[in-house]
Amino acid sequence: MSKAMWGGRFTKSTDEMINEFQASIGFDKRMYHEDIAGSIAHATMLAKCGIISAADKDKIVAGLRDILQEIEAGKFDFSVDLEDIHMNIEKRLTEAIGEAGGRLHTARSRNDQVALDTHMYVRKEVVAVQKEILNLQQALVEAATKYADVIMPGYTHLQRAQPITFGHHLLAYFCMLSRDFARFQGVYERCDIMPLGAGALAGTTFPIDRQFVQQQLHFEHIYNNSLDAVSDRDYILEFLSAASILMVHLSRLSEETILWCTREFHFVELDDAHCTGSSMMPQKKNPDVSELVRGKTGRVVGHLMAMLTTVKGLPLAYNKDLQEDKEGIFDAIDTVKFSLAVYAQIIRGMKVREEVMKRAVTEDFSNATDLADYLVKKGMPFREAHAVSGQAVHDCIEKGIYLKDMSLEDFQKLSPLFGPDIKEAIAPETCVKNRNSFGGTSYAQVALQLQAAQELLASEQKAHDAVAAKQVQVD
Ligand code: ARG
C-alpha cells in the first residue's frame, strides 16, 4: 500500500526517483509561514461555518502554531516523500493532534492552497523589494545632492555630447527606479486577490465563507472564478517582468559605473571595500559588484522567459507544470533584493573625480551646440548656425585647440555676429546654467528635480508602509 497522503486508489508506492523528481519541498518550504497562516484562516472559517467543530479548530490552530515554532527552531524534519510544504505540514499536524488534523483539508485542494500560499508569499516579497528600491533611491538622492553642481560630459552614442551635471545624471536613475516602484505596486495589487475556496478547480460542496478568509488574510479582492483562481500565474509573470525591467536599469547603471572606473574615463573611484583585486596582477581593482549585477540581469530575464514559456499553451486548470513557477521567482526575489542592497552601498561609497569630469568637458567640443545657439540668439537661422559651429570645430581640430582657445578675430572670420561675450557663452558653467528648460540640466532645474525626488520618496515610503502593515503574521 502506498504511504502517500493521496494513496487510497494506489496499489504501489511511488518510485523513489519519480518521487524525488516531482517533489517541490526542496524549494517550496520557504512558504511555510504562508501555508500555516492560510491553514489557520481556513480552519477558523470551517468552524465558523459549522463544517468542523470548534474543538477541532482549536486543536488544529494550536497544532499549526507548534509546527511554526518547530520549523523556525530548525527542528522540523522535511520529507521528500511528502512532496511539498503543504503535505509536510498537514502530515505533521495529524501526527501531533490525531483525527482533527485530518479534517483540515476539508473543502480545500492543494491547487487553491498552493495558489494562496504563493500569492501571500509574493505579496510579502513585493513589499521587501520596494523597501530595497527605496533604499537605493535614497542613496541616489544623497549622491545627487552632493554632486548637484559637478559638471561632466553627457553622452550620446557614447560620444561626448553636451555638458550636464553628475547630479542630473544620477537623478535619471532615480526616475527609472520610481517607475519600478510603481510597477511593483501594480504587481502587489495583482497578488492581493484571494484564491482559496476555488477547491481543485470547481468550488466546493461545503458552505464555506470565502469573504471571511479574505478578511482574515487581509486580501483586497477575491477571485470571482474558481478556474481562474487556480490557473492564474499572471502575478508571477508580472513580478518577473517588473524584476527584469528593474534589473535592466541596474545593468545600465552597472555598465556606466564600470566605464567610469576605467583608467580611460577615470571619473569615479569605488570604495576599496566594494572591489576586488586580481590573483595575478597586483595593480588591479575590479568593479566586480557592478559586473555581477549586470550579469545577474540575464538570469532574471531568463526566469521571465522560462515562466512565459511554461504557461504558454497550458490548458485550464491546474497542471503540474505550474510547480515550475517557484524556483524562478524565488531566485528572482533573492537576486533583485541583493542587487538593490549592494548597489545602494556602491553609490554611497563612490567618490567622484570632479577635475577629471570637468576636463572631459573643457578639453573637448561638447559646447559646440552652445556656440550655435549663441548665433541663433543673435538672429542666425539654426541650420546655418549649426554649419558655422561645425566649421569652428573643424578648424580647431586642425589647429589642435578647443573652441575656448579661439580668438575673437577667429570667431568673427566665421561670422560677424560673434562678439566678446562668446567666451562666456561657451564656458561649461554657462552651458549648464542655460539649459533651464523644464527637466533640463541647469542648476535650478536639477534643484527642482531633487525637490520633486524627495517628495516622491516620501509618498513612496507611505505607500510602502501601508502595504507592509497589511502583511499577515501568525502570533
Ligand atoms: N507542489 C505543488 C505545486 O507547487 C502543489 C499543488 C499540487 N497539486 C496537485 N494536484 N498535484 O504546484
Side-chain angles (χ1 to χ4, degrees), residues 195-221:
L196 204 74
L201 73 163
T204 171
T205 56
F206 293 95
I208 58 169
D209 183 346
R210 295 186 67 202
Q211 281 71 18
F212 179 79
V213 176
Q214 175 193 2
Q215 281 161 15
Q216 299 255 298
L217 299 175
H218 312 159
F219 276 97
E220 191 67 30
H221 304 284

Side-chain angles (χ1 to χ4, degrees), residues 195 197-203 210 223-231 317:
L201 73 163
R210 295 186 67 202
Y223 277 93
N224 283 329
N225 179 301
S226 62
L227 283 144
D228 182 39
V230 289
S231 311

Side-chain angles (χ1 to χ4, degrees), residues 92-104:
R92 177 79 191 94
L93 181 69
T94 309
E95 264 169 31
I97 67 167
E99 203 187 78
R103 297 189 195 279
L104 169 62

Side-chain angles (χ1 to χ4, degrees), residues 355-374:
E355 50 340 308
V356 182
M357 283 187 170
K358 184 75 179 290
R359 204 180 321 126
V361 172
T362 42
E363 296 180 6
D364 207 351
F365 295 97
S366 51
N367 52 358
T369 313
D370 300 81
L371 189 76
D373 286 356
Y374 172 92

